[in-house]
Amino acid sequence: VEFGPRDVVVGDGQFDDGAINDFLAVCDRAAAAGVSVNLLLSPHYFPNWALEKWPQLQSCGGGFSSYCVHAPEAHQVIEASLRYLIPRIKDHPALHSLCLSNEPVSTELSACPHTKAGWSRWLEDRHGTLDHLNACWGTTYEAFDQIPVPSPFPRTPMSVDFVRFNQEFFAGFHRWMADVIHEMAPTVPVHAKIMMGAHFPAHSYGIWSVSPELFGDLSQINGNDCTCNVNVRGEWANGWLQEQMAYDFQHSLNGKPIFNSENHLIADRDHRSIPPAHVYSTLWQGALHGQSATTIWVWQRTFDHSSDLEGSIIHRPACAEAVGRCNLDLNRLADEMTALQRVPPVVALYWSQASVILAEKHPQALNRCYRNAAFLGIPLGS
């Protein structure tokens, strides 16, 4: 279930209960059926009245967010929404966890004054002097505030530093949200739906702004958004490698459970027949590699061929049955699967963020190493 600040804070100091009441009604039905509910807080659903009041908020963004998440005015609106919402829902027995953001990225930053100021301070703290920075970068800057905010994804020493800064800056926004929530609901787990499929290469939706390590530190659950589709051609029947690699990476960071709350088992608008075995094996292998909860994209039906929801699993009875069977098997064998998840890694693979930025061949080498090690039948980590 998802709704955001625009659904709760409908005016300056004005609130609406409609979305909250609808959510609580869903939770009541879920509790009666023995089902848990994850709420996506969706800060990207930001109220238009606030953008009109503070047009400077639109100076930066990225992905689903079209406003600056670092601006104090944005924090004011988000905090008002959280402080109105969380006390209403925090004690409901069906509430599983809170997802802080949907596919978070922060990439459109060249005009953002908060990013620019933070970047200058971060560089001065890190390098101390311009002589040291210029020696590291091979540049001739004369002042820290002259240094521009780069756009993704130049392969330069500046990018190595900026990625580290942006990851810390963006994780800081999510930590602030988590802290506000935990003031009111200290026992409710939080996570963010980071796109782990984009993590390993130099992808703007991956490491440019998102660090799984930093997000794992601020969360009680490793949030995840991954894809494993049937392959049309190639060596494998499906795209298992990137997804399992992502689970193994997150699981090795901190041992926290992984929640893939947007599990893409079937490509959007895919009209082919999808083998039920693909669905079962993807869910089973995910659990084996650390996934402890999942929400499938997407459990609803449409006949609009242009919609991202078209061709989804609810159109496919045999695939839906495979989900149910795998769920029953995982529940029945939960103790054994948990024991398998807790076996420590025997092989660790070295993933280097600086190498991803500066060396184009690093991701391909890592993929080959992971693929070969995966067939040894031993737990992998990083």
Side-chain angles (χ1 to χ4, degrees), residues 127-148:
H127 290 279
T129 67
L130 283 165
D131 288 341
H132 183 269
L133 180 146
N134 285 325
C136 291
W137 288 8
T139 53
T140 57
Y141 288 109
E142 297 180 353
F144 285 107
D145 59 8
Q146 284 183 350
I147 301 171

Side-chain angles (χ1 to χ4, degrees), residues 228-230 237-239 264-266 274-283:
C228 180
N229 293 327
V230 170
N238 67 22
H264 291 267
L265 305 171
I266 299 169
I274 302 297
H278 157 73
V279 172
Y280 187 103
S281 66
T282 300
L283 294 172

Side-chain angles (χ1 to χ4, degrees), residues 94-365:
L95 183 64
H96 175 275
S97 57
L98 297 171
C99 187
L100 299 172
S101 61
N102 178 66
E103 300 181 359
V105 295
S106 185
T107 54
E108 300 162 23
L109 303 169
S110 60
C112 176
H114 305 284
T115 301
K116 181 68 168 64
W119 172 226
S120 298
R121 289 193 300 269
W122 189 92
L123 287 172
E124 189 166 6
D125 289 343
R126 180 171 182 81
H127 290 279
T129 67
L130 283 165
D131 288 341
H132 183 269
L133 180 146
N134 285 325
C136 291
W137 288 8
T139 53
T140 57
Y141 288 109
E142 297 180 353
F144 285 107
D145 59 8
Q146 284 183 350
I147 301 171
V149 173
S151 299
F153 214 110
R155 297 184 182 276
T156 64
M158 178 195 285
S159 290
V160 175
D161 272 351
F162 184 79
V163 164
R164 290 171 178 155
F165 156 74
N166 200 24
Q167 288 177 344
E168 293 174 11
F169 204 42
F170 197 42
F173 162 68
H174 288 82
R175 184 178 293 279
W176 168 78
M177 279 188 69
D179 289 345
V180 171
I181 291 165
H182 286 146
E183 282 183 30
M184 299 171 281
T187 63
V188 175
V190 301
H191 49 94
K193 197 199 297 179
I194 62 177
M195 293 180 282
M196 283 301 300
H199 172 65
F200 296 101
H203 197 295
S204 61
Y205 279 13
I207 61 171
W208 188 258
S209 57
V210 173
S211 163
E213 295 95 328
L214 295 177
F215 273 77
D217 287 344
L218 67 90
S219 306
Q220 291 69 58
I221 296 169
N222 285 310
N224 183 293
D225 178 334
C226 257
T227 299
C228 180
N229 293 327
V230 170
N231 282 342
V232 177
R233 59 183 67 86
E235 187 175 4
W236 311 107
N238 67 22
W240 63 275
L241 190 145
Q242 285 294 316
E243 184 172 72
Q244 291 180 25
M245 203 159 122
Y247 291 150
D248 281 340
F249 184 87
Q250 284 187 294
H251 190 62
S252 69
L253 296 177
N254 48 38
K256 295 177 182 177
I258 298 165
F259 186 0
N260 183 347
S261 56
E262 190 172 319
N263 199 338
H264 291 267
L265 305 171
I266 299 169
D268 297 344
R269 299 175 297 280
D270 191 336
H271 300 122
R272 297 172 297 158
S273 175
I274 302 297
H278 157 73
V279 172
Y280 187 103
S281 66
T282 300
L283 294 172
W284 181 268
Q285 286 294 110
L288 192 62
H289 289 263
Q291 177 190 271
S292 296
T294 191
T295 305
I296 292 171
W297 175 266
V298 58
W299 206 269
Q300 62 190 87
R301 185 180 288 109
T302 181
F303 296 99
D304 176 2
H305 292 321
S306 65
S307 170
D308 289 347
L309 312 184
E310 211 274 334
S312 62
I313 196 168
I314 201 65
H315 288 273
R316 307 169 186 272
C319 290
E321 181 190 34
V323 173
R325 289 187 179 278
C326 191
N327 179 59
L328 291 171
D329 287 344
L330 287 171
N331 285 336
R332 177 171 54 87
L333 299 169
D335 290 342
E336 289 82 358
M337 186 59 76
T338 300
L340 289 169
Q341 288 183 353
R342 289 177 176 170
V343 176
V346 177
V347 170
L349 301 177
Y350 180 70
W351 177 83
S352 166
Q353 181 163 284
S355 295
V356 170
I357 297 168
L358 298 176
E360 293 186 32
K361 295 182 179 180
H362 178 75
Q364 292 84 352

